[in-house]
Amino acid sequence: HHHHHDHHHDDDKSHDKSHKAEDLVHTLITCPNTKDFLKPALRSLGKKEVLLLLRYLTTTLQVLASCDEKQLSKAYNKKNKKKNAKNHHASHNTLPNTKTIMSWMMVLLDTHLLTIGMTSEGRLLCGRCKDVILSYTASKSNTLSAIITLIGSLVSRSLVVTSKELPRYSMERIKMS
């Protein structure tokens, strides 16, 4: 608890509370689990909780997809170390990774498909989740198709060599000669 009394007091407290809640969810999500354990546990959730968890999973997925996951995780852990030093309590929370988020998402959809499908928020969140997955696979397939095109042009020997200086690669040398 805070010992200083200033006009930010209540603000500070609610901010602290939301941080604790966030840490708790992160910790919960990253705990080792099995689908056999998760399914009955998630089945007991009500509509409000289901949508809340879905919103958390979708938002976290979007955040992870929008930046470098490793860097983000590092920054998060660093921030936590600082925070825990201040609060004198150790917590072991780490930011969940995409794989973890997706496995929870699958079980949640599995156990509450009707609830999610029948609410507009549920459908909206699933749409956002789908967008993240599609843009990820698209970016991967773009890289792939670029590589395939390059390989194709190498095979057909139609690769255009633009460099003016002497090429370092034997493939280019063969082409030039």
Side-chain angles (χ1 to χ4, degrees), residues 29-30 46 53 57 59 63 65 68 73 85 89 98 112 130 134 154:
I29 294 270
T30 49
L53 182 56
L57 292 170
T59 308
V63 170
D68 184 343
S73 200
H89 70 82
T98 304
H112 292 282
K130 193 179 82 179
L134 286 178
L154 277 176

Side-chain angles (χ1 to χ4, degrees), residues 16-100:
D16 219 39
K17 222 180 243 167
S18 74
H19 260 301
K20 280 204 178 73
E22 182 188 299
D23 290 347
L24 183 66
V25 180
H26 285 337
T27 307
L28 176 70
I29 294 270
T30 49
C31 273
N33 61 60
T34 63
K35 285 202 167 51
D36 301 331
F37 164 76
L38 268 189
K39 269 189 178 164
L42 286 180
R43 234 176 240 128
S44 65
L45 294 178
K47 181 173 150 182
K48 207 172 143 194
E49 285 93 3
V50 168
L51 290 173
L52 207 65
L53 182 56
L54 183 64
R55 193 182 314 141
Y56 162 80
L57 292 170
T58 306
T59 308
T60 309
L61 189 69
Q62 284 180 302
V63 170
L64 291 173
S66 66
C67 52
D68 184 343
E69 203 171 310
K70 280 199 178 76
Q71 289 297 106
L72 187 72
S73 200
K74 250 189 208 144
Y76 183 81
N77 292 339
K78 206 165 159 185
K79 188 189 84 178
N80 264 352
K81 274 203 186 78
K82 237 185 230 156
K83 203 168 64 189
N84 292 336
K86 208 171 63 189
N87 292 347
H88 310 294
H89 70 82
S91 71
H92 310 288
N93 43 11
T94 49
L95 203 63
N97 58 20
T98 304
K99 196 177 168 186
T100 307

Side-chain angles (χ1 to χ4, degrees), residues 118-170:
M118 282 170 70
T119 56
S120 55
E121 193 192 357
R123 288 195 300 274
L124 186 83
L125 288 168
C126 278
R128 273 171 43 188
C129 179
K130 193 179 82 179
D131 289 342
V132 171
I133 295 166
L134 286 178
S135 66
Y136 174 79
T137 47
S139 72
K140 285 280 171 279
S141 69
N142 281 347
T143 313
L144 257 176
S145 62
I147 292 169
I148 291 167
T149 310
L150 274 173
I151 292 172
S153 63
L154 277 176
V155 171
S156 66
R157 293 186 162 191
S158 60
L159 189 68
V160 182
V161 181
T162 48
S163 65
K164 293 284 172 276
E165 74 265 27
L166 201 65
R168 292 179 300 278
Y169 307 108
S170 45

